[in-house]
Amino acid sequence: MTTMKTYKQSSPAVSLRKLSHHLRTYRKTARLSQHELAYLLGGGSGTKVSRYEHFQRVPSLATIVAYEIIFKESLHSLLPGLYDEVQERIRTRAQQLLARVSARKEPGRDAKLALLRSLIHRSER
Amino acid sequence: MSIPGQKHHTPRALAIDLSSRGFGYALFDSEGKLVDWGVRKVTGNKNAGCLTRIRALIRWYEPEVIVLEDCESGERHQRIKELSEDVSRLAERMEIRVVQIPWILVQSVCGGSPRATKEEIAARIGDHFPEIKPHLPPKRKPWMSEDERMSLFDAVALAATACVVKKRREGRTA
């Protein structure tokens, strides 16, 4: 049996990074043209949608909400890479804050610690 | 939909099927999910035109692996063989790993038989990836040339085969 051929002998370490968004995926699955989606998003031409899809322009918050409404998908599904990036940053800061709060004696400390521990646990899954 | 049995955290793969009119492509993310697909028709200087568009795809998506058909083991037109080499060189310059799959392997893995036809392979791919099933061309008649949409299904089949072969290799070395 012929074998799979590769050009590079040493493969780079597998990257865990995801695409920042899947906006194009959902549009194509729904078989909408860029122009049609632009109309649903509230005007503008298909060029704007093309720029979002090719990572040349960041959609506004209102536009992201519109995507969520149109495709009935969560932020995590629409923007997996960005979501994971933000989650990782929050997790790091939550761990730092947990250490600081743990060392203090203050009213409401237990509630804060519970929130931070829950946040860290959720972001590690 | 994702490639069956695909583990999480696999390389982002761009599969390209070179054809007489341009190329078909399929992008799979690091979880094996099909996230983009399409067919590009190129006129004029086809090799240069294809390279330009492929370079743009690579810049947008930054794949970690490019999957191509192994043209040397098959009967492909000289122009396609040259283009395949050009794409491989482009990928090497951009430090992207290239995986080349012989078509007979695609027939076995995706078609269930080394004699599976392209229509049979495309039908199976369409069943597994419903998002591209609407693009399935009608059954080819003897007087028809191959529908350009077929290269989309060929690209997905290349990626799926590469994944299966990788999984088998990992199983053997584990």
Side-chain angles (χ1 to χ4, degrees), chain B residues 6 11 34 37 71 86 90 97 102 114 118 126 132 153 169:
Chain B
Q6 180 78 317
L34 179 61
W37 57 88
C71 293
D86 289 342
L90 171 67
R97 185 165 167 245
K118 282 200 166 195
I132 59 171
F153 293 86
R169 270 184 168 185

Side-chain angles (χ1 to χ4, degrees), chain A residues 9-84:
Chain A
Q9 290 302 313
S10 58
S11 54
V14 169
S15 167
L16 302 186
R17 73 197 160 92
K18 298 178 183 174
L19 277 178
S20 61
H21 66 68
H22 286 176
L23 301 182
R24 185 174 170 89
T25 312
Y26 286 108
R27 179 186 63 77
K28 288 180 92 164
T29 305
R31 316 235 28 219
L32 284 169
S33 68
Q34 290 176 335
H35 185 71
E36 286 165 343
L37 180 57
Y39 178 76
L40 282 176
L41 291 174
S45 68
T47 309
K48 201 191 283 189
V49 172
S50 174
R51 290 202 181 107
Y52 297 150
E53 293 181 357
H54 293 134
F55 313 101
Q56 292 166 353
R57 187 170 170 167
V58 179
S60 66
L61 179 59
T63 301
I64 292 296
V65 171
Y67 267 95
E68 190 173 318
I69 292 167
I70 291 165
F71 297 113
K72 292 193 293 184
E73 292 289 341
S74 66
L75 276 180
H76 193 196
S77 297
L78 288 168
L79 312 162
L82 178 62
Y83 191 98
D84 284 359

Side-chain angles (χ1 to χ4, degrees), chain B residues 2-20:
Chain B
S2 305
I3 295 176
Q6 180 78 317
K7 289 181 185 175
H8 285 253
H9 309 315
T10 55
R12 185 181 308 154
L14 176 65
I16 301 169
D17 176 68
L18 305 171
S19 69
S20 59

Side-chain angles (χ1 to χ4, degrees), chain A residues 80-94:
Chain A
L82 178 62
Y83 191 98
D84 284 359
E85 198 182 306
V86 171
Q87 187 176 64
E88 179 57 29
R89 280 192 235 138
I90 289 174
R91 188 175 70 83
T92 303
R93 288 196 287 265

Side-chain angles (χ1 to χ4, degrees), chain B residues 77-89:
Chain B
H77 194 275
Q78 185 58 32
R79 182 185 73 75
I80 298 292
K81 289 181 181 178
E82 287 169 7
L83 179 55
S84 180
E85 285 290 329
D86 289 342
V87 173
S88 299
R89 273 194 290 272

